[in-house]
C-alpha cells in the first residue's frame, strides 16, 4: 500500500517535471534568461551538494582501505566491509533524496518565475 502511494507520487512528480521541460523547450533558450540569478544559484547549490557528497564518499573509501590493511582476520574484514556497504547504501539513498528535492525545487521555482513574467 505504501509502495503504491510512493509510486504514484513519483509518477506525479515525474509528470510535472516532464510538463515543465516541455514548456521550457517551447520557449527555447529564453526560459533561461527569465529565471535569471535564481537558476544559477540553484545550479550552484546542486553542484556543491554533489561535490560534498563525492568528497565524503572518497574519504570513507580511503578510511576503509586503511582499516582493511590493518585487519588481523577474515571476520574483521567481513565486518568492516559490511559496515562500509551499509553506510554507502544509506549515504546514496539520502543523497538521492536530497538531489531529488533540490531538483524538484529548481524546476518548480523556475517554472513559477516564468509564469509570473508572462
Amino acid at each position: 500500500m505504501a509502495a503504491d502511494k510512493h509510486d504514484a507520487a513519483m509518477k506525479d512528480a515525474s509528470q510535472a517535471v516532464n510538463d515543465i521541460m516541455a514548456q521550457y523547450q517551447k520557449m527555447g533558450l529564453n526560459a533561461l534568461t527569465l529565471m535569471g540569478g535564481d537558476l544559477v544559484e540553484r545550479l550552484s547549490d546542486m553542484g556543491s551538494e554533489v561535490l560534498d557528497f563525492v568528497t565524503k564518499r572518497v574519504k570513507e573509501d580511503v578510511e576503509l582501505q586503511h582499516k582493511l590493511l590493518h585487519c588481523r582476520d577474515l571476520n574483521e574484514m567481513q565486518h568492516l566491509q559490511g559496515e562500509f556497504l551499509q553506510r554507502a547504501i544509506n549515504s546514496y539513498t539520502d543523497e538521492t533524496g536530497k538531489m531529488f528535492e533540490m531538483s524538484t525545487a529548481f524546476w518548480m521555482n523556475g517554472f513559477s518565475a516564468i509564469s509570473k513574467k508572462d
Side-chain angles (χ1 to χ4, degrees), residues 24 27-40 43 106-107 109-111 113-115 117-118:
Y24 286 160
M27 289 185 271
L29 293 178
N30 191 37
L32 297 177
T33 59
L34 291 173
M35 287 186 279
D38 188 52
L39 170 75
V40 175
L43 284 174
F106 169 80
W107 290 112
N109 289 339
F111 186 64
I114 291 170
S115 296
K117 292 184 181 188
D118 285 342

Side-chain angles (χ1 to χ4, degrees), residues 23-102:
Q23 288 290 333
Y24 286 160
Q25 288 172 350
K26 287 179 187 173
M27 289 185 271
L29 293 178
N30 191 37
L32 297 177
T33 59
L34 291 173
M35 287 186 279
D38 188 52
L39 170 75
V40 175
E41 185 176 347
R42 288 182 185 281
L43 284 174
S44 176
D45 291 346
M46 291 171 71
S48 293
E49 181 65 34
V50 170
L51 290 175
D52 288 345
F53 175 73
V54 170
T55 301
K56 290 174 189 173
R57 293 303 319 142
V58 169
K59 182 180 176 185
E60 287 210 24
D61 289 351
V62 171
E63 288 174 2
L64 173 67
Q65 295 304 316
H66 179 76
K67 289 176 183 178
L68 290 175
L69 288 171
H70 292 90
C71 278
R72 299 193 187 266
D73 61 48
L74 287 176
N75 287 335
E76 182 182 1
M77 182 182 288
Q78 287 177 329
H79 179 73
L80 289 171
Q81 288 175 327
E83 285 181 338
F84 173 82
L85 184 58
Q86 187 60 56
R87 279 193 314 274
I89 290 169
N90 293 342
S91 293
Y92 277 95
T93 301
D94 292 345
E95 190 64 21
T96 300
K98 284 181 192 176
M99 291 306 295
F100 182 79
E101 288 175 11
M102 291 176 85

Side-chain angles (χ1 to χ4, degrees), residues 2-39:
D4 292 339
K5 287 182 181 179
H6 174 73
D7 291 344
M10 291 297 289
K11 185 176 180 181
D12 291 345
S14 296
Q15 185 60 49
V17 170
N18 286 338
D19 293 344
I20 291 167
M21 287 300 298
Q23 288 290 333
Y24 286 160
Q25 288 172 350
K26 287 179 187 173
M27 289 185 271
L29 293 178
N30 191 37
L32 297 177
T33 59
L34 291 173
M35 287 186 279
D38 188 52
L39 170 75

